[in-house]
Amino acid sequence: MLLACIIVSLNFTTRGVLSVLETQMPQIWQSSLHASQRTLGAWVSLAGGVGVMHFLCIGVGAYKLTGWSDFVQMLVGLVLMGVACGLGFVWVGPDEAAPGGSPLPSWQYIVSLILLYAIAYPLANSAVLGLFSTLQRAGRQGGMQGGFALGGSLARVLCPLLSAFIDTYVERGGGFAFALLLVCFSILGGVLWDLDDLEHSSGQAQRHSDHG
């Protein structure tokens, strides 16, 4: 049950972080970078197309050839998501209307966008799906699938609202900080879960050797 909750929370994080950046990025693109929606759409399309190809490569086992487990792949994806959130947080510097304010460099936006859509999200999301599939074989499938889908749906609804509220009423750029906090907690939970699993497995092996 604990593992199921952790995997659902990981699904919540991957989809929630994506939705936060989708909500925050267009506003920054227009207000701080003074770029057109057409340019934004072109970059999103490019990053999304690369992300689709990345998903296909993962589907044919590209990372299995390197010996990466689903757990390692998930951690790498979450860390890269954290980097994308960190770059987003750096963009939100002083307001241009305030004294000393200045336009923010567009390369940070583009790097973060490509990092998120093309690399980080495909890695993390496909790994979480793989971990869920492994867990699903050992239990009832209907309830587990419902809980997994519910976590993703709640993330798509709640995370943009929470990030917009924090950004508006608490701190400018707080939406990115909220997403980064989600990623950090998920990495911590994933590491603790894996260490607990390894400890459990080694304990079982030790008991078997003692009986032998």
Side-chain angles (χ1 to χ4, degrees):
M1 182 64 181
L2 178 60
L3 293 182
C5 291
I6 291 174
I7 292 177
V8 169
S9 68
L10 291 172
N11 186 41
F12 182 93
T13 297
T14 56
R15 297 185 183 265
V17 169
L18 184 69
S19 63
V20 168
L21 268 67
E22 285 175 346
T23 304
Q24 299 285 324
M25 283 178 175
Q27 179 183 359
I28 295 174
W29 185 262
Q30 287 186 299
S31 64
S32 296
L33 304 181
H34 303 299
S36 67
Q37 290 286 354
R38 181 177 300 177
T39 307
L40 170 63
W43 278 111
V44 171
S45 298
L46 175 63
V50 175
V52 170
M53 298 303 297
H54 193 184
F55 266 119
L56 293 175
C57 292
I58 294 172
V60 298
Y63 290 99
K64 301 300 181 184
L65 299 177
T66 62
W68 281 19
S69 64
D70 286 334
F71 175 73
V72 173
Q73 181 181 323
M74 177 200 70
L75 284 184
V76 172
L78 287 175
V79 168
L80 293 177
M81 275 190 162
V83 173
C85 294
L87 284 173
F89 188 69
V90 171
W91 300 326
V92 188
D95 194 342
E96 291 177 32
S102 60
L104 299 170
S106 60
W107 68 265
Q108 290 178 256
Y109 176 91
I110 296 169
V111 168
S112 181
L113 189 148
I114 294 176
L115 187 63
L116 178 70
Y117 280 97
I119 304 173
Y121 181 74
L123 273 176
N125 189 248
S126 59
V128 170
L129 288 172
L131 291 169
F132 175 72
S133 299
T134 303
L135 182 64
Q136 191 179 24
R137 301 191 192 105
R140 297 179 179 179
Q141 297 186 4
M144 293 176 66
Q145 287 180 346
F148 188 78
L150 178 64
S153 299
L154 283 177
R156 300 291 289 183
V157 173
L158 294 178
C159 289
L161 294 176
L162 288 172
S163 67
F165 177 84
I166 295 171
D167 190 73
T168 303
Y169 296 104
V170 180
E171 180 68 29
R172 190 166 184 260
F176 291 108
F178 166 71
L180 185 58
L181 192 63
L182 270 181
V183 171
C184 291
F185 275 120
S186 295
I187 292 174
L188 179 62
V191 169
L192 292 177
W193 160 49
D194 188 66
L195 289 176
D196 181 68
D197 185 64
L198 288 175
E199 182 180 358
H200 180 69
S201 301
S202 61
Q204 283 186 331
Q206 182 65 37
R207 284 193 295 271
H208 284 307
S209 62
D210 291 339
H211 287 304

